[in-house]
Amino acid sequence: MMPLIDLTGLLLIGFIVWWFWLYRPAGQVAGGTVEVRVKDGSYDPAFITAKLGQPLRLRFIREDATPCAEYVLFEDFGIQQRLPLGEPVEFTITPDRAGRFDFTCQMQMYRGVLTVRA
């Protein structure tokens, strides 16, 4: 009986590690404008792929009234954009280097990733 409980515990731990740290849903490949909804404690999509040197137009729509969702920060690009509730906010990023760049709310509870490929 004990080995079954141990095995179940290990499987559960493995699932938790995969879900919270390893799982990455398919990102949205940027072309034109990417609409990002801020709702339910997350960005949707939270994973965006862009091409090096090509302008990326982002349209954020904040549906979540929590104060944490009031700003989006792209620290690597020096962008801090206020997101009024229910109003679309658009801005453009032209990535000048390839890599993985996080974007967050001001408290870093909402998290997303912009991947720039050459």
Side-chain angles (χ1 to χ4, degrees):
M1 185 71 162
M2 191 59 145
L4 180 60
I5 293 172
D6 292 343
L7 180 60
T8 304
L10 286 174
L11 289 173
L12 184 59
I13 290 170
F15 175 75
I16 290 170
V17 168
W18 173 78
W19 181 260
F20 286 101
W21 291 286
L22 302 176
Y23 173 69
R24 296 288 183 252
Q28 181 170 346
V29 177
T33 301
V34 175
E35 186 172 282
V36 180
R37 297 208 172 262
V38 183
K39 62 180 183 176
D40 302 326
S42 65
Y43 296 118
D44 182 24
F47 297 91
I48 302 169
T49 302
K51 292 185 180 181
L52 179 66
Q54 293 188 358
L56 169 62
R57 186 156 194 74
L58 297 169
R59 177 185 301 130
F60 278 78
I61 301 172
R62 178 179 166 210
E63 298 174 3
D64 196 331
T66 60
C68 184
E70 189 173 3
Y71 285 89
V72 63
L73 292 89
F74 286 81
E75 289 187 12
D76 293 301
F77 298 98
I79 294 172
Q80 178 178 332
Q81 187 66 53
R82 186 172 180 275
L83 304 175
L85 186 61
E87 297 178 29
V89 174
E90 292 187 7
F91 56 95
T92 301
I93 297 175
T94 304
D96 59 357
R97 59 197 181 277
R100 180 184 185 270
F101 306 98
D102 294 332
F103 58 97
T104 67
C105 67
Q106 70 268 23
M107 295 173 66
Q108 298 186 358
M109 294 175 70
Y110 292 66
R111 304 185 68 74
V113 175
L114 169 63
T115 302
V116 179
R117 296 194 175 130

